[in-house]
Amino acid sequence: MTAISKEMEYFQTFIDQLSEAVVVLNKNEEITAVNQHYLNLTNQADFETRKSVEEVLLRHSDGEEGTLLAVNGFISVKVSEGTLPFGESSVRYYILKELPAVVHSCQEPLMKTLMNIVPDFIGIKDGDGRFIFANEFVGELFELPGFDFTGKTDADLAEITPDFRDVFQYCIETDEQVWQAREIVRCEEFVPARDGSTRFFDVYKIPVFHPDGTRKNLLVFGREVTEKIESRQLLEESEARYRLLAENAMDMITTHKADGSFTYISPASYALLGKRPEEILGETGYGMLHPDDEEVSRKAHEELMAGPCTKTVPFRLQHKDGHYVWLETSCKSITDDTGKVVEIIGVTRDISDRKKSEDMLRQSDKLSIVGQLAASVAHEIRNPLTSLKGFIQFLQESHGINPSNYYSIMDKELDRIDQIMGQLLLLAKPQVRTFKKTCLKEIIEFVEALLQPEAIVQNIQIRTKMPKALPHIHAEENELKQVLINLLKNAIDSMVDGGEITIQAQMIDGQIHVTVKDQGCGIPRNRIEKMCEPFYTTKEKGTGLGLMISSKIMKEHNGELRFTSIEGKGTTASMILPV
């Protein structure tokens, strides 16, 4: 044994003889030794050294008193400190003297009164399970008002109140489990009532042991949580019903994290996409999204994340076999108490049949436009045909004339006919819907050229006002042509006495406004709101589909169709599109 270890042994023997608790520290404020009285005071068999003194002792502001952490709680102590020579150096020490208990005998009646007022179960048992104290709530709970529980065990109470025998037997079993665990245990206990209902309690059981490890007291605290339990049961039943609906609904029901990833998907995903829920969980869905629909979907997600709102978005997702399916999702963002969006709920359905019907209506509207344009286009085609026929007759009757001098003129007339027919075919034939970077200026020029012949026949002049440059937009070119043709055709039809139509494009508040202003008969105020309703028309041979389809096209482009009118002076139709 070294000299230092021998000296340490003598030192430990010395401090163990002291009648106050002693804590020895090194220069790092770590505990290197405690005496036997410290172990007795804190109910510890031994002590793990190298702990920081702050882990076991909280010094008060005055420095003379503190709170010592013990196995069974906290002890108020008076703190004295000093140094002792040890070897070639010295050690610091604290002497901890236990202070008198805060609650004096004169305060005990007050404490009991307070515990009896509390509407909770409070009981204290000794090591053999006999009650030392039970507040008045315990007597009322077990229908023993004013009963003295002192000295009674749960087995005794089971004989006194047979109706609660099962409750007391359960208490005996859980008490023993707590003693064996030697730590605080939280459990749920129930007490039946005479009306057939059940009262539930959230119970804490705290075991207290003597210094030698034998059982001293069991503290029991129980708070009634019947209402909370019943609410939880109702919630679970409600969740079960909603889950049953979700699991069997034809629509796909989903929940998402804030980043858009799926947290729940109903089994309808297999019918819609050919994929089972587990194949999609954790993904965001953007990998299945049609490229043309990504921008509108991400924008809708940003709006949902900006605050609690509801969005309905049509888009296409790729089926497991490769083709795309038209779907429509109604989403709602859910926020927490702070207003932060924590979840998104969506209901998704297949709208493929609806899209087919809409495409058929669009095509029907196009054909209607083509039919209405046929007369004016026929007049426009007849002019070059007359020229061609005249040249052919002239060449047949004349001799010695070189026909090559007239070929270029005849070729230009044929090109004119081809151009007119091509424009009609472009309107009439079905088109694949493709959103792409589109120039509105070119669309306006195309529609103006197409309807100029009919306007001339009706003694109408079409004027355009456009800036030198307009921003490009992400759009379906042919659909915007269809909308503008509808507006311009309606303007021409309203001007039976001729006049002027102005097409103007301009930027207003970060949006492009394309207006068609006529000098026609105007629209009554009570009819303006019905302009875009299906099958509503003011024309004798109208279908009532044109403006309805035009309005829907504008909504699909995140735009808007507006009308203002003054009877007898004209109407202004506005196409408002985001850049």
Side-chain angles (χ1 to χ4, degrees), residues 388-409:
L388 288 170
K389 185 176 180 181
F391 278 119
I392 292 172
Q393 290 177 347
F394 174 71
L395 292 173
Q396 286 176 339
E397 297 173 357
S398 301
H399 300 283
I401 296 177
N402 186 4
S404 60
N405 295 330
Y406 303 95
Y407 289 161
S408 60
I409 300 174

Side-chain angles (χ1 to χ4, degrees), residues 158-204:
E159 296 299 324
I160 296 171
T161 56
D163 291 341
F164 301 103
R165 186 185 303 277
D166 291 342
V167 178
F168 290 119
Q169 183 59 41
Y170 181 74
C171 289
I172 293 171
E173 295 172 1
T174 54
D175 286 356
E176 184 59 30
Q177 291 171 8
V178 173
W179 285 120
Q180 295 295 332
R182 304 183 70 85
E183 63 183 7
I184 298 175
V185 173
R186 183 180 183 181
C187 59
E188 191 176 277
E189 296 186 359
F190 64 93
V191 178
R194 288 194 179 277
D195 61 2
S197 62
T198 302
R199 300 175 70 178
F200 294 90
F201 291 83
D202 185 18
V203 180
Y204 286 85

Side-chain angles (χ1 to χ4, degrees), residues 403-450:
S404 60
N405 295 330
Y406 303 95
Y407 289 161
S408 60
I409 300 174
M410 296 171 69
D411 185 57
K412 287 180 180 179
E413 295 298 314
L414 288 171
D415 286 341
R416 173 63 179 156
I417 293 172
D418 182 63
Q419 181 184 5
I420 294 170
M421 296 307 298
Q423 291 171 341
L424 279 177
L425 289 173
L426 184 63
L427 284 175
K429 71 179 182 181
Q431 301 287 334
V432 177
R433 298 184 73 220
T434 305
F435 281 73
K436 61 182 181 180
K437 196 173 182 181
T438 303
C439 178
L440 266 176
K441 193 172 183 180
E442 293 178 359
I443 291 176
I444 294 170
E445 290 171 351
F446 173 89
V447 174
E448 181 191 7
L450 182 66

Side-chain angles (χ1 to χ4, degrees), residues 361 533-537 543-545 548:
L361 284 175
E533 291 183 4
F535 307 111
Y536 180 83
T537 180
T543 62
L545 295 175
M548 179 203 78

Side-chain angles (χ1 to χ4, degrees), residues 281-297:
L281 280 173
E283 298 180 7
T284 61
Y286 286 115
M288 299 182 287
L289 193 64
H290 193 285
D292 291 344
D293 301 329
E294 184 170 348
E295 183 177 346
V296 67
S297 297

